[in-house]
Amino acid sequence: MISSSIHSLQFNYRSVFLHPNNGVLPLTPKFRKLYKHSMCLCTEPVLKDGILRINGKEALTSVPENVTLTNSVNGSAFLGAIATENTSRGVFKLGVLEEQRFFCLYRFKIWWMVPRMGNSGSEVPTETQLMILEALPADGQTRDASAKSPSYILFLPILDGAFRSSLQGSSSNGLEFCTESGDPGVVGRQFPEAVFVNSGDNPFELVKKSMKIVGEHRGTFRHLEDKEMPGMLDWFGWCTWDAFYHAVSPQGILDGLTSLNVGGTPPRFLIIDDGWQDTENEFQKEGEPFVEGSQFGGRIVSIKENLKFRENDAAKDLKHFVTNIKDNFGLKYVYVWHALMGYWGGLHPDSPGTQKYNPKLLYPVQSPGNLSHMRDISMDCMEKYGVGVIDPAKIAEFYDDLHSYLASQNVDGVKVDVQNITETVGTYFGGRVPFTNQFHQALEKSIAKNFQDNSIICCMAHSNDSVYNSKQSAVTRASDDYMPRNETSQTLHVAAVSFNSIYLGEVMLPDWDMFYSNHYAAEFHAVARAVGGCGVYISDKPGDHDFEILKKLVLPDGSVLRAKYPGRPTRDCLFNDPVMDGKSLLKIWNVNDLTGVIGIFNCQGAGVWPGLDAVENQCSSESPLTGHVSPLDVEYLEEMAGEMWSGDCAVFSFKSGSISRVSKTQSLDVSLEVLGCDIFTISPIKVYNKKIEFAPIGLIEMYNSGGAAEAVDVAISDDPDLRLSVRGRGSGLFGAYSSAKPKFCTINSKETDFEFRDAENYLKLTIPQGNDSWDISIHFGGLNFRLKPQLILDG
C-alpha cells in the first residue's frame, strides 16, 4: 500500500498536463519543486470503480468514465473531464453527492456571491465557486458531542488555460462542473484542471493552503500574505456615496468632514465616489423624466474632473480641493471612484478626450450561469445601452494617463468598480479569462507606478476570473452593496461577507462596505466591522451621525483597532444557515496581538437569501435565540497564548460589561433578539513568575477592546516586587483580569488611580486622552502569596 502510493506520486511527477488548446504543457519548475517536497506518505485522492475518495473519505459516487484525476501535492488533486467534441462551454457530471453536509459560495448575480448550505448535489446552485463538505469519521458516529471531529473536503473550481470553471448541481443529486471560455471561437475538448480538490482537519488552513498551491501552479494570482496592505486600512474613513449619491459636491464634502471632526471621530480616509467624473449621458435629456437605470448609460468624455470640482467656490480644480481638505482636516488618504472601463458605460467613442484609447461600443453578453440567477439592473442597462470598451492595445495607456493625472491632483488611490464586466465582453477579444487578465495586469501596473502602498479597492469582482488574476490588489468588496433603506438586507449583508471571506480572504482582504452610523441596524454593522479585520468607513450624511457608536470604533486620533485576519464564521457555524434555519446564531472569529475576538449575531427572521422562499420555522422578531461562545471558537488561540498559558481565559462581554473566567473547553450562553449582537474579547490567562495570573482585556469601551493591547512583559528591575508592563495605544478605560490586586499602577511612568474588583479579579484604570501610545506598569506587592483556585464566574 505504501509503495503503491509512492509509485503513484512518482508517476504523476513525471506526467504532463493536457490543456484545452489540445497542446501539452510540462509542469512548471516551481510546481515541479512542490512535487519534490510532496514525496510523503500522505493519502492521495483516489478515483476507482466510479468512487472518488479523498483522504480515505467517500466524496462522490457514480463518477463517469470521462472524469479525470491528476494528483497534485500533499494529498490534493485536480479533477477534470474529456468532452466528446470541442466546445466553448461544457457541462460535465463529476458524480453523485448525497447525505453530506456542505456549504458553498455562489454568484447569485453577476457581481456578487452569497452562501448556501445543503446535503445533496441538487442543492448546489449554478455559479458555485467554492464548496466545502463535512467529512464525518468513517466509524459511523453521528454528529453529537461525543463524535470525533470531522474533517473537510474542498472543491475549488479554478481557471484552466483559457477556460474558467464553476460548480453546479443537478436534479438527480449530481455534482457537475461547467467550463467556459466566453468566446465561441475559443474551444477545447480536454479540461484536466477544472476543479482543485483537497482535504484537511482545519477548514481555514485547508482553504489557505489550497489557494497557495493553486496560486503557485497557475502563476496568475498571489496569496494575501504575499501582498502589500494599503495604509488607509488602519484609519477611519468616510465615503460620499450614500451621503450624496451622484450629487456629491465639494461643499457637501466639506460639510461632512466638518461634522465628523467636531463630533470627535475625525476621518483620515476619504472616498469621493461616483459623481466627480467628466461624463455625458445621451439617455438622460434635460427636461425629460428620469428613466430608472439610464444612469448606467453614461460614458467618460475625459479623464479629468467635472465642472462641479473645477468651477466651484470650494474647488478651483480637483488638486486645489484635495490639498485643501488634507491640510484643514488632517486627511491622510483621498481615493476616488472609477469603473474598470472608466465608467458604467465605458468611454465615449466620439469624444476628443477619449478617442486616443480607440473605444468601441460593444454590447455585453452574460453567460447562461449568470442568467439562471438574479438579474441586475446595472447589467441589464449596460446590455441595452452598450459599453464603450477600451481597445486592449490601449488599456495600459488609459490607466496610466488616468492615474498619473489623479496623482498629480494629490489623490492617493482609487476604488475600481464594475470589474466583472470583462467576462461579458471577452467574446470580442479571445475569451473572458485572457481578457480579464489583460485588464488586471494593466491596472495593477498603473497602481504600482502612480500610487504608493498598493492603494486600490476592487469592487464588483467576485467572478473567479477576477479573483484568480489578482497578483497585487489586496482589498476587495466582499458583498453586495450596503443598502440602508432595504430592511431585509441588513442581516444578509453581515452573514454574506463573513462566509464570502472564507474564499476571498485568502487572496484579498474583504472590504465590508460603508454603513450609516445613525440607523436602526448601525450597531449590528459596527460590531461586524470591529471583528471583520477590515477597513472601517461610513457614509453618513453631514450632521447625521451617532457618535456614541462611532467612538466605540474610532480612537480620538482617527485610527481604528483592526483585527489581524479576515473575520470568518466559527467552525460550528459553517454548515448552519444563520439567516433562514430559525435556530442558529452567527459567530465570527478573529484575533489581535494578545487576544481573540468573537462577534455573535442574530441574523434570523429579517431577510431571505436570494432565490429562496421564507420557511415556516424562521424565528419571529419576538423570538430571541440562544447560542454559546467558547475560547475554542477562536482559531490559533493556543499558538497566540504561548507556553505561559494556564489553559483558562478571561472572557469579556461588551454588551454586559462583565468578565468571566472559563477554561478553554467551556462556554458561555448568549441570548439575542433579531438584529441583536454582542462582541467578546477572549484573553488567555498567563502565569507570570509562577505567582501572578494576568490577562489584558484592552480598552473596554471599544468594540474590539483587545485590539488596543499590543504586548505584556515582565519588567526587569532591582525592585523585589513583580512588575508587569502592558503596552498599547488609544485612550479610555482599560481593563484586565488579575489574580491579585496591584500595589500601584503607572501610565507612561506617572502613577494613576485604579479600581480592582476582587470578586471578579477585574482591574480597571483610565488612560487619559492624548496618550496615543502607552506603557502601563502594574506593580504587585511581595510574592509570598499563592494563586487562587480556578473560579468560574457568570459575570
Side-chain angles (χ1 to χ4, degrees), residues 25 170 387 417 594:
L25 181 66
S170 69
V387 176
D417 215 338
L594 302 177

Side-chain angles (χ1 to χ4, degrees), residues 410-521:
N410 213 2
V411 170
D412 302 286
V414 288
K415 177 181 176 180
V416 182
D417 215 338
V418 204
Q419 293 200 12
N420 285 359
I421 190 66
T422 52
E423 73 177 69
T424 68
V425 292
T427 186
Y428 302 97
F429 302 101
R432 55 191 288 174
V433 173
F435 191 58
T436 299
N437 178 268
Q438 191 171 5
F439 265 83
H440 276 272
Q441 283 189 357
L443 176 65
E444 293 186 337
K445 182 178 180 180
S446 178
I447 296 296
K449 176 185 175 185
N450 293 295
F451 301 122
Q452 295 181 352
D453 78 357
N454 201 15
S455 292
I456 178 174
I457 301 172
C458 298
C459 193
M460 300 173 78
H462 283 196
S463 170
N464 54 10
D465 306 58
S466 296
V467 173
Y468 295 139
N469 276 302
S470 168
K471 283 191 172 183
Q472 293 180 170
S473 302
V475 180
T476 191
R477 263 275 302 284
S479 74
D480 200 348
D481 290 10
Y482 166 74
M483 293 175 278
R485 289 180 293 279
N486 185 335
E487 293 186 4
T488 65
S489 73
Q490 307 306 314
T491 56
L492 300 183
H493 186 101
V494 170
V497 176
S498 65
F499 276 90
N500 288 346
S501 295
I502 296 171
Y503 171 59
L504 296 173
E506 298 302 333
V507 181
M508 288 184 274
L509 183 72
D511 178 291
W512 285 64
D513 202 15
M514 62 203 87
F515 68 100
Y516 278 165
S517 72
N518 191 12
H519 187 266
Y520 69 90

